[in-house]
Amino acid sequence: MRRYTVDAMVAALSSSEHRRLLAVSLRARERVVRAVFRSGSGHVGAALSQCDALVALYERHLRLDPARLDDPARDRFVLSKGHGGLGLAAVLVERGILTQGQLDSFGESASPIGMHMDHRKVAGIEAATGSLGHGLGIAVGMALGARVQRWSSRVYCLLSDGECYEGSTWEAALCASASKLRSLCAIVDRNRLTMDGWTEREVPLEPLADKWKSFGWRVLACDGHDFAALDECFARAKDDGPAVIIAETVKGKGVSFMENKPEWHYGAIDSAKLDEALASLRAQHDAETRALDARERGAS
Amino acid sequence: MSDSSDQSPSKVRGFTWTVGDHALLSDSDAWGEALVEAGRADPRIVTVTADLGETTRLQAFKRAFAERAINVGIAEQNLVAVAAGLAATGLIPVVCTYATFAVLRAAEFVRTDLGYGQRNVKLIGTLAGVAYGQGGPSHHAAEDLALLRAIPGLVILAPSDGYEMAAALRAAVAHEGPVYLRWGRGTERADPARRDRPFVIGPIEERHPGADVTVLAYGPTVQEAERAARRALSAGVSTRVLAVPTLAPLDRATILRAARETRRLITVEDHSIIGGLGSAVAETVARAGIAVRIAALGHRERFLPMGVPEDLMAIGGFDEDAIYEEILRICRVDPPAPDDDWEDR
């Protein structure tokens, strides 16, 4: 499998900050698997693949005050892959925008915290999504709205790679570059799996970076689970858009028995599986921390 | 180059009007001017179109407020999504394209992003029904209301002439929430006496008094119904004409009153009889348990051919003649004897 790398890597992320992000990410993933266990089902695979990109964005780059979520000049994030709602909710709890109590109601009938979330019911959600291919156009509208009103807001939009099959995604991509939306940054969660299997075996999307480039976008690409690389991409995307970060990810990342398994796009876990999942998350986190230790020892 | 070529309607107005329509276009410009006035009064108003600004009256706004006029290209799904995003930042997008594309092509975006999202977007579908008859069924819009009426919280307006369109646009902008404005060709003859009437969202307007039968209409069929009602009077039938400029929320009380008082209802619309006003009226009186005779005129389960709108309204059976005949039929009145002594005059 082809892997994208960030050229001219700059270690902007301090060691302590990197470790903090790893810890936030671990807690967010634990919240996801616990919610799936409690509610009986959820889009667990998608939540885990997007997790690190969202942690990097919410913890490091999105200018947002949880106490003033209606500040018109805030940065905005649109979850175009609406089925990542649970994964987003977990990151919002970490950021202090939602409470764990709210997340505990995930999946209950008539709870505002569900599979696909609605801006009218959940403060901190910018658009009701769920149907694929809507979010990028909405984000384009938000970026245009910020420009008309002379705000310095930036707009971020997370797409699944499956959304790159939707024609409306490319309608929006064309419009964004034509409008020279420098404040717009899209992230593609490139986990290479859709419901029916591998994208490249079903209907190939590659060369995906070339497609975005030909639509007039600045293309950045990285390992979507590498915080140093994600941070670098977000920093470089700022005010030089429209830019897209193609984040190469692993569906189900962090839970070894879910990784790269299409059947874990959406699933249920029993208590034995929950224990196994939590142990796996902890083990992966510890391994990543040890790898960071080793890199730093090697560098010093 | 001759003067006549510079002045040709197609050059001045876009390509959807015929020479014969040219004299009527000043009335239809009223809403384009109203939009400019609204834009001057409220800096939140922006326009969004999908390459049809020239033929849909958005050009004057663009000339006045260039940076608030957005063209997304020929991409209707994105048109609606972008409008939702603009509204999310507190702006009031006025979106305009042909009705068939605004509603049918972008249907799920209208439903989810504007309806479910309750975004403060004003979606104008022009050339509704057979207003662009020459374009054929690809450009006819006979299904837009069938789809939109099922969307909760969406206000649906269908003005009947240029002045009412201008007033409806002002009312739509003042209303907080998504609004669909169904507009025709822009050549409906406007009554100057109605120029400054305010538009109130909701109420049905009685255009002609009557006690024997009620005709309910909206858009271009209102004036057809008014003419038919005047003819029917000379045949001895008293016809009430109700204009229904707000399809949602529907003024059910006035419909039920007409049902009780006249016991005969005729709906007439440049739209499918399925899902439009015909359905709405039948549903309303049936649920109220009122026994009435109902006739529904409009597109009847077939695609109309290409043609000029007046011909298609006759072929489809929802023009003045068809309404007149239905009034007599439903009231069981024989048509007056033909006036065959004209040679003696």
Side-chain angles (χ1 to χ4, degrees), chain A residues 74 76 116-121 126-129 131-134 136-146 148-151 166-168 171-172 175 179, chain B residues 43-44 46 67-68 70-72 74-91 105 108-113 115-119:
Chain A
R74 69 188 181 276
R76 288 167 172 79
H116 305 123
M117 287 190 288
D118 177 353
H119 57 276
R120 291 189 302 150
K121 295 183 184 136
E126 297 284 2
T129 51
S131 173
L132 301 182
H134 287 237
L136 190 60
I138 293 171
V140 167
M142 288 175 176
L144 285 166
V148 167
Q149 293 169 94
R150 303 188 195 287
W151 299 334
E166 294 282 4
S168 54
E171 291 183 8
C175 183
S179 306
Chain B
R44 294 175 301 165
V46 295
E67 61 181 39
R68 284 155 60 191
I70 295 158
N71 178 8
V72 301
I74 307 167
E76 289 78 15
Q77 298 176 95
N78 191 48
L79 175 77
V80 176
V82 164
L86 287 161
T89 69
L91 296 173
R105 181 64 165 264
E108 195 235 3
F109 286 67
V110 174
R111 193 282 305 251
T112 303
D113 299 339
Y116 179 54
Q118 281 293 294
R119 299 296 191 184

Side-chain angles (χ1 to χ4, degrees), chain A residues 25-34 36 42-55 81 83-88 90-91 189 191 224-225 249-260 264-265 269 277-278 280-281 284:
Chain A
S25 184
L26 171 63
R27 288 198 301 271
R29 285 190 164 92
E30 288 172 344
R31 293 184 201 281
V32 166
V33 295
R34 286 204 173 95
V36 171
H43 282 99
V44 60
L48 296 176
S49 72
Q50 75 190 21
C51 184
D52 297 321
L54 285 192
V55 167
K81 49 171 290 191
H83 57 288
L86 170 60
L88 173 60
V91 173
D189 181 7
N191 60 34
H225 302 300
T249 58
V250 173
K251 200 155 190 170
K253 169 72 178 178
V255 178
S256 51
F257 65 84
M258 294 182 183
E259 288 186 355
N260 285 327
W264 283 103
H265 171 80
I269 46 181
L278 292 173
S280 182
L281 286 174
Q284 283 218 16

Side-chain angles (χ1 to χ4, degrees), chain A residues 15-300:
Chain A
S15 171
S16 62
E17 182 69 352
H18 197 147
R19 284 160 207 277
R20 185 180 76 82
L21 296 183
L22 286 172
V24 170
S25 184
L26 171 63
R27 288 198 301 271
R29 285 190 164 92
E30 288 172 344
R31 293 184 201 281
V32 166
V33 295
R34 286 204 173 95
V36 171
F37 166 69
R38 206 169 32 242
S39 74
S41 63
H43 282 99
V44 60
L48 296 176
S49 72
Q50 75 190 21
C51 184
D52 297 321
L54 285 192
V55 167
L57 177 62
Y58 270 88
E59 295 291 325
R60 297 267 301 164
H61 297 279
L62 200 69
R63 295 170 301 181
L64 190 70
D65 178 358
R68 286 195 60 209
L69 290 172
D70 58 351
D71 178 3
R74 69 188 181 276
D75 286 351
R76 288 167 172 79
F77 169 71
V78 177
L79 182 73
S80 191
K81 49 171 290 191
H83 57 288
L86 170 60
L88 173 60
V91 173
L92 294 182
V93 172
E94 287 298 320
R95 188 72 180 79
I97 294 168
L98 292 184
T99 64
Q100 180 60 41
Q102 286 175 288
L103 185 55
D104 285 344
S105 71
F106 170 78
E108 290 174 9
S109 293
S111 165
I113 311 294
M115 185 186 290
H116 305 123
M117 287 190 288
D118 177 353
H119 57 276
R120 291 189 302 150
K121 295 183 184 136
V122 184
I125 298 297
E126 297 284 2
T129 51
S131 173
L132 301 182
H134 287 237
L136 190 60
I138 293 171
V140 167
M142 288 175 176
L144 285 166
R147 176 194 284 173
V148 167
Q149 293 169 94
R150 303 188 195 287
W151 299 334
S152 62
S153 314
R154 298 191 189 102
V155 181
Y156 295 89
C157 179
L158 179 69
L159 301 122
S160 63
D161 50 359
E163 288 191 277
C164 296
Y165 290 118
E166 294 282 4
S168 54
T169 293
W170 299 106
E171 291 183 8
L174 203 56
C175 183
S177 59
S179 306
K180 301 184 172 59
L181 294 177
R182 295 170 58 82
S183 64
L184 180 65
C185 175
I187 307 105
V188 176
D189 181 7
R190 183 72 170 113
N191 60 34
R192 292 174 183 259
L193 275 172
T194 52
M195 299 267 282
D196 275 2
W198 295 97
T199 60
E200 301 316 288
R201 283 188 208 152
E202 300 293 328
V203 181
L205 286 167
E206 293 298 332
L208 188 57
D210 291 349
K211 288 184 173 67
W212 284 95
K213 249 177 235 154
S214 72
F215 273 70
W217 284 59
R218 178 149 188 255
V219 180
L220 303 162
C222 69
D223 176 346
H225 302 300
D226 177 342
F227 280 116
L230 283 166
D231 197 58
E232 161 80 7
C233 282
F234 279 120
R236 288 175 55 193
K238 264 173 203 168
D239 303 319
D240 198 16
V244 57
I245 300 170
I246 298 178
E248 287 281 356
T249 58
V250 173
K251 200 155 190 170
K253 169 72 178 178
V255 178
S256 51
F257 65 84
M258 294 182 183
E259 288 186 355
N260 285 327
K261 297 283 198 307
E263 58 269 33
W264 283 103
H265 171 80
Y266 182 86
I269 46 181
D270 59 18
S271 61
K273 283 280 185 214
L274 173 66
D275 292 342
E276 194 184 340
L278 292 173
S280 182
L281 286 174
R282 173 64 61 178
Q284 283 218 16
H285 170 265
D286 292 348
E288 280 160 12
T289 307
R290 281 196 303 275
L292 195 56
D293 291 342
R295 275 212 297 282
E296 285 169 2
R297 274 198 304 275
S300 62

Side-chain angles (χ1 to χ4, degrees), chain B residues 165-221:
Chain B
M165 176 61 184
L169 180 63
R170 288 185 206 104
V173 167
H175 172 85
E176 174 78 24
V179 179
Y180 175 66
L181 287 114
R182 186 178 209 257
W183 184 228
R185 185 169 37 154
T187 55
E188 293 80 3
R189 285 170 183 79
D191 178 358
R194 296 177 53 81
R195 180 190 286 265
D196 297 317
R197 282 178 72 91
F199 186 98
V200 181
I201 293 174
I204 283 174
E205 183 195 350
E206 184 177 291
R207 293 286 188 100
H208 192 277
D212 297 331
V213 54
T214 300
V215 178
L216 298 110
Y218 59 90
T221 56

Side-chain angles (χ1 to χ4, degrees), chain B residues 2 22 24 55 59 69 83 91 95 99 104 112 123 128 136 150 177 222 250 252 257 261 271-272 274 290 316 327 331:
Chain B
S2 71
H22 195 211
L24 300 170
T55 68
Q59 285 310 93
L91 296 173
V95 181
L104 299 181
T112 303
L123 180 64
V222 171
L250 192 62
R252 293 198 166 85
R257 193 164 61 245
E261 290 174 0
H271 182 277
S272 171
I274 297 171
I290 301 172
I327 288 170
C331 293

